[in-house]
Amino acid sequence: MKAAYHTQKQPLGHLAPLVPILALAIFVSATDFYVVALPSLPAALSTSREAVQLTVSFYLAAYALSTLFWGPLSDRFGRKPILASGLLCFALASIAAAAAPSIEALLAARMAQGAAASSGTVLVAVMIKEMCEGPRVQRWMGIMAMAIVVGPALAPLIGAFLIEGFGWRAPFGLLALLALLMLVLLKRGVEETIATRLPQISLAKAAKTYSGVLRNRSFMRFQLINGFGVAGFFAFATGAPFVFMTGFGSSTYVYALIQGGTILTYVFGTATSSLLAKRHEPLGLVKRGLRISYLGLSGLLLFALLSAENATALCLGIYVTVFGMGLIMPNAWVLMLDPVGSHEVASASALSGVFQMALGSLASLAITALPQASPGAMAWTFVACGLGVAAAFHLLAPTATKPLAVPKPSNPERPRS
């Protein structure tokens, strides 16, 4: 029997899913809050630029490696206690980062931050699914997808203001305060969402669960769709500054508008998905989003084949593609978790996070290996990610099963007259 906890049973009622979503937004913004300070850190900590860049790499590595542990732990101890533990550890790690006297201490604190932050990636979608039913799941998944993009987009602006006024340690202090605020709201405003907890967990059982999830064709179909979608965003974040500022000669202000337009287009797509959730099934919205994305990708493919050098044409192709992904990704989350059992759903979410991180990292490496100021390289990378989305949707679609034929008797008896 599927356990679905309606939001009416939560102390915050219909707003209860907002608390874990905000926690996730904080987690995914942890690097963006202080990224403006990276150029000044070598002098501040008497270290090298390469060592400072490791503060980002160590965070991502710890984030990816620890993802697989949170799912089984939440099956044993509950979603709420594990997310609360993640928030508390994140707050303590942020305080340690703010007080770090050396680059070694900062690297250790950043690793602890990453390990704690991955709890949100695993649990938030699961908690939404367990709190809500029907169209409400689609709407809150859309809000979650929106928060994942909007949080990192706003974080550098807030971080720059804090660093300008209070120094590079201030963003870590703010992260600690925000995490503690979310911890209080989680404790007081959200009830446990899992129906029954596992009596015990083991590495063997966890491995068996992960193996079973990986063999689930429907899960693999939709998690790969989201994975390749995330890869496109990673590629844009890595290559767009070089393409537009170096290749096209855009000013910082113009580039900020281009990046903001990409974010707003995606937000508009997720908002549209939430508005259509009452009248359309998730699969129908995924198909609509794919058609829109195919239109944008066709434009980008033509752009790449013609070796075009027009910034407006490149932006238009990217915006149309990103709007389609805004329709696709929230509904792919719903469809990815639907066929998974109640004690496999957290493990499925964890595996999805690993795939997204892996594909996103590969896309970043690919755009770095190509000529970074080349508009064609950006277009080809987007097309490749789009082909991955299309391949996952069409090649992993359920196969039609033919009804069993009823054999006819070889010598049927004639009716007697």
Side-chain angles (χ1 to χ4, degrees), residues 219-367:
F219 165 78
M220 290 299 296
R221 183 189 190 193
F222 291 104
Q223 72 88 11
L224 283 173
I225 287 172
N226 268 350
F228 281 109
V230 168
F233 286 110
F234 269 66
F236 181 84
T238 304
F242 296 96
V243 170
F244 289 100
M245 298 177 72
T246 304
F248 288 120
S250 303
S251 66
T252 305
Y253 175 72
V254 170
Y255 172 69
L257 290 177
I258 291 170
Q259 185 186 41
T262 307
I263 294 163
L264 286 175
T265 304
Y266 180 74
V267 168
F268 185 47
T270 58
T272 303
S273 171
S274 296
L275 290 173
L276 295 175
K278 272 190 176 180
R279 292 184 286 116
H280 298 279
E281 293 293 322
L283 185 59
L285 290 175
V286 168
K287 290 179 179 178
R288 285 171 171 80
L290 282 169
R291 294 188 195 107
I292 295 170
S293 289
Y294 291 161
L295 182 63
L297 290 168
S298 299
L300 289 173
L301 179 60
L302 185 63
F303 181 94
L305 291 173
L306 295 176
S307 300
E309 295 288 338
N310 186 289
T312 303
L314 180 60
C315 285
L316 183 61
I318 290 173
Y319 288 170
V320 173
T321 304
V322 166
F323 176 79
M325 292 308 301
L327 284 174
I328 293 168
M329 293 179 71
N331 295 287
W333 268 105
V334 176
L335 293 165
M336 177 185 74
L337 298 178
D338 263 354
V340 180
S342 60
H343 285 298
E344 293 178 333
V345 67
S347 298
S349 184
L351 279 173
S352 176
V354 172
F355 273 95
Q356 287 182 22
M357 185 68 71
L359 290 171
S361 299
L362 287 174
S364 293
L365 289 173
I367 199 71

